[in-house]
Amino acid sequence: MPLILAIESSCDETAVAIVRGEPGRAAEVLASEVASQIDLHREFGGVVPELASRNHSLHLRPLVEQALRHAGADIREVDAFAATTGPGLASSLLIGSTAAKAMACASGKPFLGINHLEGHLLSPFIGLTAVPPHVALIVSGGHTLLLDVAGPGSYRKLGSTRDDAAGEAFDKVGKMLGLPYPGGPEIERAARTGNPAAFGFPRSMLNDPHLDFSFSGLKTAVLYTLQRESAPVPVADLAASFQQAVIEILVGKALKAVKRSGKRVLALSGGVSLNGALRAAFGNACAPRGIDLLTAPPGLCTDNAAMIAFAALLRHLAGEHSALVEDIHPNLPLV
Ligand code: KG4
Ligand code: ZN
């Protein structure tokens, strides 16, 4: 059964994974190692590219060795080496893709350059025997994307954000509320004790016929509310009301997309799909409509290499490989 080793280094997580699989069988994740740099970047309130790439190069080799150890595999058994080649930070992408190419070159095995967004999109299907036709909603720090998926590699864009990504809005609002980076999990925590109806924030574009998103008006509405409020600022209520607005926009647009596409499966992926309130709202919306909701396991929602290895495995099984001269693409689109 083919064994794939993949590296993900598009942003601030250095990750290495080893996945094994064959057609008609669920892929097995034998190792999925992540060296998070979140603590390193927290004091700057966001990702510092120079620091990120330097740490990728420091962590990568021990992480490859750790992944091989956890998988109980020898590097000579690996059938193909993969890496994220975009979208992401150029200096970070270069570290992982150069390392994967070097291993491919040294071992005479193929290299596969993988789109980070395809990794997220396919992550809910790791552990299943097939990727059925479905509607995909990718909600991450950099992207908010609705797609009609006929199968692996066959994607049609239905809608995307016209300004901030959903995760970016969480991070920016987290910063406004004085919460640590990244804001998403912090807002979710603060929102648990807050009233989601305390503030009537806008649900931008929710009732428009198109399937695009906009989160910058919502972010500005939170800012104006903060400027208007006399101290103390009710952080829990603001967080809960903001989170509720994001959830209603995402659920509303995704349901519209499912209805229009005629699909019966909705797959959620990306860091924001870790949000418990969001998952619950999607669950409540999908069940009565007979829509199958698929989400990635929690460890595979935020950036990881197992999703990259899985995307690479499907391509490897289809006989597709990349040239060793393939460049990185910081703005690589999925469709
Ligand atoms: O997919 P991801 O790890 O990286 C990108 O490809 O961007 O997503 C990171 C994003 C960040 O914006 C982070 O705040 C958000 O996912 N996030 C969350 C939660 N956990 C992570 N947003 C809302 N609720 C969460 N629990
Ligand atoms: Zn990501």
Side-chain angles (χ1 to χ4, degrees), residues 119-211:
H120 276 305
L121 183 149
L122 294 170
S123 61
F125 301 92
I126 303 180
L128 302 186
T129 52
V131 179
H134 67 278
V135 167
L137 175 62
I138 306 172
V139 271
S140 70
H143 297 86
T144 305
L145 198 54
L146 259 176
L147 300 139
D148 189 328
V149 180
S154 179
Y155 313 125
R156 187 168 64 86
K157 183 164 137 183
L158 299 173
S160 62
T161 184
R162 294 191 182 175
D163 38 60
D164 291 344
E168 193 179 355
F170 267 99
D171 295 339
K172 286 179 178 170
V173 168
K175 214 172 202 175
M176 286 179 207
L177 297 178
L179 299 171
Y181 169 84
E186 298 292 333
I187 287 186
E188 176 173 15
R189 203 166 300 130
R192 284 194 195 120
T193 54
N195 173 10
F199 296 93
F201 292 134
R203 273 68 168 151
S204 309
M205 297 184 176
L206 181 55
N207 296 315
D208 293 4
H210 61 74
L211 294 170

Side-chain angles (χ1 to χ4, degrees), residues 303-318:
D303 289 347
N304 65 87
M307 66 183 193
I308 304 302
F310 180 58
L313 174 67
L314 298 186
R315 289 194 179 270
H316 177 73
L317 293 176

Side-chain angles (χ1 to χ4, degrees), residues 10-11 29 32 38 42 52 54 79 81-83 151 163 185 193 210 219 221 225 248 261 307:
S10 64
C11 192
V29 179
S32 179
I38 284 181
R42 186 167 283 136
R54 186 176 300 174
D79 294 289
F81 294 88
D163 38 60
T193 54
H210 61 74
K219 178 190 67 186
T225 305
E248 283 180 27
S261 69
M307 66 183 193

Side-chain angles (χ1 to χ4, degrees), residues 232-247:
V233 182
V235 171
D237 285 349
L238 269 167
S241 302
F242 162 77
Q243 181 174 273
Q244 186 59 27
V246 175
I247 290 172

